[in-house]
Amino acid sequence: MSRLAKFTVTLVGIVLVLLAVFELGQSYPIPWLTSWLADLTINYPMVWSILLMVFAIIAGIVGILLVIVGLFRPVKVSTLTYDGKVGQLTIPQRALERDLQYRLVNQLNLIDPEVHLKLRRRRRVRVKIDAMVNTDASLETTAQQAATLAQDYLKNQLGLTVEQPVVQVKPANHQRKLTVV
């Protein structure tokens, strides 16, 4: 979780707890809280009403954003499932990553490739590959071959819809890095 997300969640949590405490103090007599809230609302009605309005607006905006995120954020899937005549085959995402990793090492002689797949609903997948090559003379060609290999494997053999793979190839001497999108 990023710092901004942590800060936002903490801030909204504090606001919601304060609103809950205020409502409880108004509804049920809590010895010190109810009298303190009554003094605040009687002595400073304008400040208190503005403060409650700001808290309610913050909670409302966050609620709307959570609904939007819930509706429009793509659903990630952790396994790939095939239905056949005999039964159902479920393949974990990590197994697909390892298999593609093995193919990249075996066919293109990449050094220590890292493969990250993001499986989505409706059999869609995003691919990110980070790898190193022995010689830096053919970085672009190797990156294109890795992208083609990943697309062929995922599209033709597994029947997935592949969004454009992102391949980063670095030479083994780490002087230069090439990204193919």
Side-chain angles (χ1 to χ4, degrees):
M1 188 181 286
S2 69
R3 287 184 179 175
L4 179 64
K6 280 186 174 184
F7 175 74
T8 305
V9 167
T10 304
L11 180 67
V12 169
I14 290 171
V15 166
L16 291 176
V17 166
L18 288 175
L19 282 173
V21 166
F22 175 74
E23 288 301 320
L24 284 174
Q26 293 291 340
S27 302
Y28 301 106
I30 301 171
W32 60 273
L33 182 64
T34 305
S35 61
W36 179 69
L37 287 175
D39 288 342
L40 274 179
T41 54
I42 291 172
N43 293 336
Y44 306 104
M46 192 65 171
V47 173
W48 191 248
S49 64
I50 290 173
L51 188 62
L52 281 178
M53 184 71 73
V54 168
F55 283 168
I57 288 172
I58 290 172
I61 289 173
V62 169
I64 290 170
L65 289 176
L66 288 175
V67 168
I68 290 172
V69 166
L71 289 176
F72 295 112
R73 185 165 184 173
V75 176
K76 294 180 184 174
V77 181
S78 61
T79 59
L80 184 62
T81 306
Y82 290 101
D83 294 324
K85 296 176 186 173
V86 180
Q88 190 176 40
L89 174 65
T90 303
I91 305 170
Q93 173 182 334
R94 189 67 188 137
L96 294 173
E97 290 173 346
R98 290 289 175 123
D99 190 32
L100 185 55
Q101 218 172 11
Y102 175 76
R103 289 170 187 266
L104 289 168
V105 169
N106 211 14
Q107 293 179 14
L108 299 178
N109 295 325
L110 295 179
I111 301 169
D112 193 28
E114 291 181 22
V115 177
H116 300 284
L117 296 178
K118 290 185 181 177
L119 295 173
R120 304 271 169 89
R121 286 192 312 181
R122 291 184 228 109
R123 304 183 72 74
R124 292 181 307 152
V125 65
R126 282 191 176 174
V127 183
K128 184 172 191 280
I129 300 170
D130 293 323
M132 291 190 299
V133 221
N134 282 332
T135 62
D136 59 344
S138 62
L139 286 180
E140 188 172 336
T141 307
T142 306
Q144 300 253 341
Q145 288 173 346
T148 304
L149 178 72
Q151 270 189 325
D152 288 343
Y153 169 64
L154 294 169
K155 187 175 184 179
N156 297 339
Q157 294 182 9
L158 297 176
L160 300 173
T161 304
V162 182
E163 297 176 12
Q164 183 64 35
V166 176
V167 180
Q168 289 186 340
V169 179
K170 298 179 266 187
N173 60 9
H174 302 294
Q175 289 178 353
R176 168 181 107 158
K177 181 162 102 175
L178 176 71
T179 303
V180 175
V181 177

